[in-house]
Amino acid sequence: DAAGGALPPARVARVHQEHGFVEGLPPESVAALEVGRRVRILPNHACATAAMHDGYHVTDGGEEIVAGWSRIGGW
């Protein structure tokens, strides 16, 4: 959920540049995820996920942003 709580047995099965596929949610849980609802996703592949953003908001584990990191391109 948006607070970081798990929605078992959901899992991110695969991701692409703009979207991902979540598997394992029972129908009643899917119905509760209306368009516009915020959830936190723990991606299964960090490279593509990180590359889609110009920078990152860093938290201390809560919702308060404590730092900002710029993305660095290249190796």
Side-chain angles (χ1 to χ4, degrees), residues 4-18:
L7 296 173
R11 70 180 188 88
V12 177
R14 51 192 193 279
V15 295
H16 299 288
Q17 275 67 17
E18 299 87 16

Side-chain angles (χ1 to χ4, degrees), residues 35-65:
V35 173
R37 170 115 183 251
R38 297 181 106 187
V39 296
R40 289 187 184 206
I41 302 291
L42 300 175
N44 65 351
H45 194 280
C47 294
T49 303
M52 289 188 277
H53 302 281
D54 294 328
Y56 314 101
H57 294 148
V58 182
T59 70
D60 61 0
E63 293 190 23
E64 181 181 349
I65 297 170

